[in-house]
């Protein structure tokens, strides 16, 4: 049986038509090898992203820039050598000695020439570096100066129509920042990366990084931001008393009507918890005294959180000032 199969395969391979196909494939492979050899012998340029780390940091120092940065170098050499750098023996991370390049002002810098020297130690003798980006690599540090600052979100967060954001919670709600004294004095809060969420109706949870600042280290460097939503509704609350302020001792303000109505926009769940005592409506005696007339203006001084577009249904009332009964 095996001899029969071998006989069939031999006849198939060495038939006239298949001989021509095999010869064609042989020369095609040979041409491919020749072309590949010529191609890899040509000189090319390729940009490599090389990680850079600061090492040898003293125990009492805190690196306030990224511990690992990246420098981009364009290397010129034959194609085969560049392929080796890409897939065979890749260019290893550059380690920068803290004590060698740090200054006394909380910064350190490494020139492009020094970076090239470190990389040349890993390259073949025929390789040449034609460009370095950036031209100077900087790092920042301090000796433990820090402060705690609150977190705030930034970006575009818009719920569906008829929904609105009732409140925002952060976890954690503040972070510790390490930086120079000058930067610490100027930073009062930090922001998240730009968020982009639209057309949502349920509670939205965003796990996001904080927006990086040069020379500032944030711990932690990411937070969870929770956006709570509710359905918008237009409502009104009646029976809110008008209170006179800045009244001289012994005098009392009476208004007609004594109680007024406030209209507003809020969420359904917020509205269910509202009371008349959550709002404050005032009339100012000093204004009445300076501009006496038959009516006095009233103002909405305080409204609870979660309320928008709050307004009084009337802006002035009749009034009477009388002495308090003794």
């Amino acid at each position: 049986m095996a001899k029969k199969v071998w006989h069939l395969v031999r006849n198939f391979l060495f038939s006239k038509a298949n001989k021509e196909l095999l010869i064609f494939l042989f020369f095609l492979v040979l041409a491919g090898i020749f072309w590949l050899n010529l191609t890899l012998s040509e000189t090319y340029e390729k940009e490599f992203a090389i990680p850079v780390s600061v090492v040898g940091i003293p125990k009492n120092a805190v690196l306030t820039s990224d511990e690992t940065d990246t420098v981009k170098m364009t290397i010129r050499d034959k194609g085969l050598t560049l392929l080796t750098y890409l897939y065979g023996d890749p260019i290893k991370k550059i380690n920068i000695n803290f004590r060698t390049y740090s200054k006394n002002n909380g910064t350190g810098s490494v020139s492009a020439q020094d970076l090239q020297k470190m990389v040349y130690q890993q390259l073949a003798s025929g390789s040449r570096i034609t460009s370095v980006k950036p031209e100077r690599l900087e790092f920042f540090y301090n000796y433990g100066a820090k402060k705690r600052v609150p977190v705030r979100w930034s970006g575009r967060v818009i719920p569906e129509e008829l929904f609105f954001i009732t409140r925002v919670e952060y976890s954690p709600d503040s972070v510790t920042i390490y930086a120079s004294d000058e930067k610490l004095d100027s930073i009062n809060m930090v922001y998240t990366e730009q968020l982009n969420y639209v057309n949502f109706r349920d509670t939205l949870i965003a796990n996001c990084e904080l927006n990086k600042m040069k020379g500032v280290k944030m711990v932690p460097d990411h937070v969870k931001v929770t956006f709570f939503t509710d359905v918008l509704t237009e409502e009104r609350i009646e029976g809110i008393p008008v209170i006179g302020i800045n009244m001289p001792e012994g005098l009392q303000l009476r208004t007609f009507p004594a109680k007024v109505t406030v209209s507003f926009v809020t969420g359904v769940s917020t509205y269910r918890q509202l009371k008349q005592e959550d709002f404050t409506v005032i009339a100012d005696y000093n204004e009445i005294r300076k501009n006496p007339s038959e009516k006095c203006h009233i103002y909405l001084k305080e409204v609870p959180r979660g309320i928008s577009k709050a307004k009084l249904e009337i802006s002035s009332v009749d009034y009477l000032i009388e002495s308090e009964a003794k």
Side-chain angles (χ1 to χ4, degrees), residues 33 250 326:
I33 294 172
K326 295 185 179 179

Side-chain angles (χ1 to χ4, degrees), residues 220-249:
D221 59 359
H222 60 279
V223 295
K224 180 175 74 172
V225 186
T226 304
F227 298 89
F228 295 91
T229 59
D230 200 355
V231 180
L232 280 173
T233 180
E234 292 187 17
E235 298 293 346
R236 61 204 298 267
I237 287 186
E238 302 175 348
I240 300 173
V242 178
I243 301 172
I245 63 170
N246 297 318
M247 298 298 299
E249 186 177 353

Side-chain angles (χ1 to χ4, degrees), residues 51 115 122 137 176 182 188 228 257:
L115 291 170
Q122 305 182 49
L137 195 68
T176 301
E182 182 180 355
N188 295 316
F228 295 91

Side-chain angles (χ1 to χ4, degrees), residues 53-309:
S53 288
V54 181
V55 297
I57 303 170
K59 291 183 178 180
N60 63 336
V62 177
L63 201 64
T64 58
S65 52
D66 291 337
E67 292 183 4
T68 301
D69 209 333
T70 301
V71 62
K72 294 183 178 180
M73 293 191 181
T74 301
I75 300 175
R76 181 181 178 85
D77 207 333
K78 295 187 181 300
L80 183 59
T81 305
L82 296 180
L83 280 177
T84 302
Y85 296 151
L86 281 172
Y87 305 109
D89 187 17
I91 302 172
K92 298 178 179 62
K93 179 173 65 176
I94 303 172
N95 290 324
I96 296 172
N97 187 280
F98 177 89
R99 296 185 184 279
T100 303
Y101 294 98
S102 61
K103 303 173 184 178
N104 293 326
N105 61 354
T107 66
S109 65
V110 188
S111 66
Q113 290 78 12
D114 284 353
L115 291 170
Q116 288 186 59
K117 290 177 183 177
M118 298 176 194
V119 174
Y120 267 128
Q121 295 174 7
Q122 305 182 49
L123 301 182
S125 59
S127 298
R128 290 292 176 267
I129 299 172
T130 59
S131 71
V132 181
K133 300 175 185 177
E135 294 183 355
R136 181 173 297 276
L137 195 68
E138 292 183 307
F139 61 90
F140 301 85
Y141 67 94
N142 71 11
Y143 290 100
K146 62 183 179 180
K147 79 175 185 179
R148 196 83 176 168
V149 293
V151 176
R152 292 292 180 267
W153 69 274
S154 63
R156 182 168 173 259
V157 181
I158 305 173
E160 279 188 13
E161 190 177 1
L162 301 182
F163 284 78
F164 80 118
I165 297 170
T166 57
R167 72 181 193 277
V168 181
E169 289 185 359
Y170 302 87
S171 180
D173 61 0
S174 59
V175 298
T176 301
I177 61 171
Y178 296 82
S180 64
D181 291 338
E182 182 180 355
K183 284 185 178 291
L184 288 177
D185 291 339
S186 65
I187 299 173
N188 295 316
M189 65 180 61
V190 295
Y191 294 89
T192 66
E193 61 186 345
Q194 290 291 305
L195 303 180
N196 187 19
Y197 298 96
V198 295
N199 297 330
F200 62 94
R201 59 171 61 186
D202 298 324
T203 298
L204 172 67
I205 299 176
N207 292 297
C208 53
E209 294 183 355
L210 296 176
N211 187 39
K212 294 182 178 180
M213 293 181 283
K214 188 176 181 180
V216 179
K217 180 179 182 178
M218 292 171 274
V219 180
D221 59 359
H222 60 279
V223 295
K224 180 175 74 172
V225 186
T226 304
F227 298 89
F228 295 91
T229 59
D230 200 355
V231 180
L232 280 173
T233 180
E234 292 187 17
E235 298 293 346
R236 61 204 298 267
I237 287 186
E238 302 175 348
I240 300 173
V242 178
I243 301 172
I245 63 170
N246 297 318
M247 298 298 299
E249 186 177 353
L251 295 182
Q252 182 179 4
L253 175 69
R254 294 187 182 276
T255 62
F256 307 95
K259 298 181 178 180
V260 294
T261 300
V262 176
S263 61
F264 50 85
V265 175
T266 188
V268 172
S269 60
T270 302
Y271 173 68
R272 290 171 181 162
Q273 301 175 18
L274 291 177
K275 303 183 295 294
Q276 294 167 337
E277 294 79 13
D278 295 328
F279 297 84
T280 302
V281 178
I282 63 166
D284 190 347
Y285 176 80
N286 290 336
E287 181 181 323
I288 296 172
R289 181 173 54 83
K290 291 179 181 178
N291 302 290
S293 65
E294 295 182 355
K295 292 181 178 290
C296 67
H297 290 287
I298 57 175
Y299 303 95
L300 185 58
K301 183 179 180 182
E302 294 181 3
V303 297
R305 292 181 60 183
I307 297 294
S308 63
K309 299 182 180 179

